[in-house]
Amino acid sequence: MKLFNILFPMIISIRAAIASLIAEASTQNLEFKTCVVNPGGNSSIDDAPAIIDAFTQCGHNGKILFLNETYHVNTVLNTTGLKNCEVDLRGTLLILQSSAWVFGGDNINFQGHGYGTLNGSGQAWYTFIHGKSNYPGRPHAITIANTTNSVFEGIKFVQSQMWTMTVIHSKNVLLQDIYVNNAGNDGTTSSNTDGANTIFSDHITFKRWDITNGDDSIAFKANSTNIRVLDSTFHNGLGIAFGSIGQYKGEFNTIENIRVKNITCYNTLHGAYVKTWTGQQVGYPPNGGGGGLGFMKDILLSDFTLNNLRGIPFSISQCTTFSGVAGACNTSLFEIEDLTFENVAGTIGTNPIASLQCSAAAPCKNITLQNIDLALRNGTAASGYNCDAVFGSIGFNCTGFTCGTSSATGSC
Ligand SMILES: *[C@@H]1O[C@H](CO)[C@@H](O)[C@H](O)[C@H]1NC(C)=O
Ligand SMILES: *[C@@H]1O[C@H](CO)[C@@H](O)[C@H](O)[C@H]1NC(C)=O
Ligand SMILES: *[C@@H]1O[C@H](CO)[C@@H](O)[C@H](O)[C@H]1NC(C)=O
Ligand SMILES: *[C@@H]1O[C@H](CO)[C@@H](O)[C@H](O)[C@H]1NC(C)=O
Ligand SMILES: *[C@@H]1O[C@H](CO)[C@@H](O)[C@H](O)[C@H]1NC(C)=O
Ligand SMILES: *[C@@H]1O[C@H](CO)[C@@H](O)[C@H](O)[C@H]1NC(C)=O
Ligand SMILES: *[C@@H]1O[C@H](CO)[C@@H](O)[C@H](O)[C@H]1NC(C)=O
Ligand SMILES: *[C@@H]1O[C@H](CO)[C@@H](O)[C@H](O)[C@H]1NC(C)=O
Ligand SMILES: *[C@@H]1O[C@H](CO)[C@@H](O)[C@H](O)[C@H]1NC(C)=O
Ligand SMILES: *[C@@H]1O[C@H](CO)[C@@H](O)[C@H](O)[C@H]1NC(C)=O
Ligand SMILES: *[C@@H]1O[C@H](CO)[C@@H](O)[C@H](O)[C@H]1NC(C)=O
């Protein structure tokens, strides 16, 4: 495993390393089997049992091959604990809207060739929830859990039920050339259709993602460390998100060493934003909470091109609380420090450039905003840095305060 720690910055090498590990496993006289999954070919036939059977047979030192066919996944897939496993997805998994996939293991190479697809049949949810947030029972398309030293590549996700991907309790995972399109049949995007979320995960790299969705493009939640997002394009969603975090009273969580570079946004709400719960617990998760502890630091966001942004390019809000309740924006003890947003160009819909509503109980420290060259749609240079409780502004001067009750969008 040490090999991977050394190789982490050279992500391109990971795939070769895995291939050689798998090759090594097979030369050690471990039988390397291939299981071909045959589809039932009818939506009334659930292919999940056949898929699970293939992973049971070939999930250790083996390959699971999905043909260029449509598979109907009508019940939950739980294929965890895999080892030295290749997944070759050449067709489409049409996942019934009530179902999902929990996936995980060590030394996995999941290859979609740029066309292997997971279709979450999300339209039924988009119609049903009518914009309601965090509707109970709405599944995530794929949960990558307890996964180490693995690569996911060339996979398409369409119409995810809710979040497209959750990476949880995982380490040393590269996800590249991934396409996500959660637009509904009418072309609009639904709430909570996040691209990807990381939770309790370390050394995760997202490279060349293209995401069209209606919520966070990629979000880093509790205990996300050493995460990279590179060379990616986001459409319509909210941009890069830190949080929400601090929702669980007394829990100590961190977000640390995050590098996001070469990002192009089209019509997203933000380039990037930070959202913490207040220091006071009001109600209980998922829709209430607050009072969490911890910090985020060593964050570098660079080389952003923003096209026709809908909201504030960079926003911090520490005001999140139970929906409909206001205030207590100065109570969060979650610390935000050493954060840089730089080399940002493009067009935005409205001033200011940044809204930094930091909690007076634990002020933000060392925030750098530099080399920002943005214009409003009419060509006028964008301006304005609204700040509360910012200690150490580097590359900019605060030009005013926020309204003090700014929402997660940075607006009032
Ligand atoms: C699918 O299965 C249903 C129920 O068994 C059957 O009525 C239908 O004809 C099948 N469709 C196809 C295309 O085979
Ligand atoms: C998959 O099969 C369809 C026909 O069913 C064909 O049009 C398509 O080109 C095939 N895709 C690949 C990548 O082979
Ligand atoms: C998946 O299966 C594993 C192993 O049997 C189990 O530990 C885990 O709880 C299951 N996860 C879900 C979401 O069902
Ligand atoms: C996804 O599946 C739905 C049926 O549930 C279908 O209407 C839609 O066209 C599919 N999307 C794509 C991009 O294939
Ligand atoms: C991950 O591993 C832990 C501990 O081994 C286990 O409790 C948990 O159920 C696993 N999660 C999944 C989704 O398999
Ligand atoms: C930035 O990312 C795009 C893909 O979105 C890629 O085409 C381009 O080469 C990248 N630029 C650099 C300097 O790496
Ligand atoms: C999150 O990370 C913190 C700091 O390393 C640690 O104290 C805490 O136990 C972690 N939480 C979980 C649930 O792993
Ligand atoms: C601010 O953060 C940067 C980057 O993390 C660091 O190099 C610098 O020393 C910090 N400055 C202060 C005054 O803490
Ligand atoms: C451009 O729009 C901004 C914001 O609406 C406005 O303040 C400014 O005067 C406009 N500039 C021109 C040249 O119309
Ligand atoms: C929060 O604290 C800031 C000072 O850091 C102050 O300007 C602001 O008025 C306070 N907001 C509220 C709602 O008390
Ligand atoms: C901030 O204001 C100070 C004092 O007016 C000025 O010297 C400095 O150049 C300003 N910095 C920026 C980045 O505008």
Side-chain angles (χ1 to χ4, degrees):
M1 294 319 96
K2 221 176 181 178
L3 181 63
F4 282 94
N5 294 335
I6 296 160
L7 285 181
F8 176 67
M10 298 179 284
I11 46 182
I12 294 149
S13 309
I14 293 181
R15 199 154 63 113
I18 286 171
S20 73
L21 279 175
I22 292 171
E24 192 187 316
S26 51
T27 56
Q28 282 166 359
N29 253 347
L30 297 169
E31 205 186 340
F32 192 85
K33 294 174 288 188
T34 295
C35 291
V36 179
V37 190
N38 291 301
N42 186 321
S43 61
S44 65
I45 299 174
D46 180 12
D47 291 317
I51 294 169
I52 290 169
D53 187 54
F55 278 95
T56 305
Q57 303 293 321
C58 294
H60 284 69
N61 306 309
K63 170 172 171 170
I64 290 87
L65 173 62
F66 292 91
L67 305 169
N68 179 11
E69 307 267 358
T70 296
Y71 296 83
H72 296 96
V73 178
N74 300 349
T75 50
V76 171
L77 288 178
N78 181 351
T79 59
T80 47
L82 308 171
K83 177 99 183 148
N84 304 333
C85 173
E86 287 179 41
V87 179
D88 190 347
L89 178 62
R90 293 166 180 269
T92 294
L93 301 189
L94 187 56
I95 303 175
L96 200 66
Q97 68 274 2
S98 56
S99 194
W101 197 354
V102 184
F103 184 96
D106 180 50
N107 286 333
I108 296 165
N109 185 356
F110 193 133
Q111 181 57 252
H113 310 280
Y115 53 84
T117 302
L118 268 69
N119 181 339
S121 309
Q123 184 60 49
W125 282 109
Y126 309 159
T127 307
F128 179 69
I129 61 148
H130 259 289
K132 278 198 207 78
S133 197
N134 293 328
Y135 198 90
R138 204 176 156 193
H140 301 175
I142 192 166
T143 302
I144 295 174
N146 292 347
T147 297
T148 45
N149 311 319
S150 294
V151 177
F152 297 77
E153 186 175 11
I155 308 165
K156 293 176 79 164
F157 293 89
V158 298
Q159 298 197 337
S160 299
Q161 308 88 312
M162 189 177 161
W163 294 2
T164 301
M165 178 185 291
T166 306
V167 180
I168 183 165
H169 295 132
S170 295
K171 192 175 166 104
N172 294 334
V173 178
L174 168 63
L175 304 125
Q176 66 182 0
D177 298 305
I178 307 277
Y179 171 88
V180 176
N181 189 342
N182 293 338
N185 294 344
D186 63 358
T188 62
T189 49
S190 171
S191 60
N192 302 128
T193 53
D194 294 23
N197 281 263
T198 62
I199 311 173
F200 305 126
S201 291
D202 182 46
H203 283 98
I204 310 297
T205 296
F206 299 88
K207 192 170 181 181
R208 292 188 299 269
W209 280 54
D210 188 297
I211 303 174
T212 300
N213 72 338
D215 213 300
D216 294 340
S217 306
I218 295 184
F220 318 113
K221 291 187 157 62
N223 287 9
S224 292
T225 49
N226 303 302
I227 314 285
R228 304 286 177 264
V229 180
L230 307 169
D231 306 337
S232 294
T233 304
F234 306 143
H235 311 257
N236 302 352
L238 307 185
I240 288 289
F242 295 85
S244 67
I245 194 159
Q247 189 173 8
Y248 294 85
K249 188 175 169 67
E251 258 192 37
F252 188 93
N253 288 305
T254 67
I255 301 176
E256 195 172 2
N257 189 358
I258 311 289
R259 301 285 178 269
V260 181
K261 193 174 166 73
N262 186 22
I263 304 297
T264 304
C265 296
Y266 293 94
N267 195 44
T268 57
L269 188 65
H270 305 293
Y273 77 113
V274 179
K275 174 179 168 183
T276 85
W277 288 71
T278 69
Q280 295 175 358
Q281 186 183 17
V282 183
Y284 295 92
N287 289 319
L293 305 170
F295 61 81
M296 57 182 275
K297 69 174 178 197
D298 191 8
I299 314 290
L300 176 58
L301 308 158
S302 59
D303 302 352
F304 276 60
T305 304
L306 308 178
N307 298 284
N308 215 3
L309 223 66
R310 288 179 287 129
I312 300 171
F314 182 71
S315 159
I316 296 175
S317 166
Q318 300 208 259
C319 282
T320 298
T321 184
F322 197 86
S323 54
V325 181
C329 297
N330 276 329
T331 58
S332 173
L333 294 175
F334 189 86
E335 295 173 40
I336 298 165
E337 59 183 282
D338 287 344
L339 185 151
T340 297
F341 185 49
E342 67 182 13
N343 307 338
V344 182
T347 53
I348 67 174
T350 176
N351 285 326
I353 292 170
S355 169
L356 311 177
Q357 185 280 310
C358 297
S359 162
C364 297
K365 288 180 209 141
N366 196 1
I367 306 294
T368 304
L369 303 174
Q370 64 191 5
N371 194 15
I372 295 178
D373 180 12
L374 292 167
L376 299 173
R377 286 193 196 99
N378 64 13
T380 304
S383 60
Y385 296 90
N386 295 345
C387 311
D388 297 333
V390 175
F391 286 9
S393 62
I394 301 155
F396 70 106
N397 286 319
C398 296
T399 55
F401 297 101
T402 77
C403 60
T405 57
S406 60
S407 67
T409 66
S411 60
C412 298

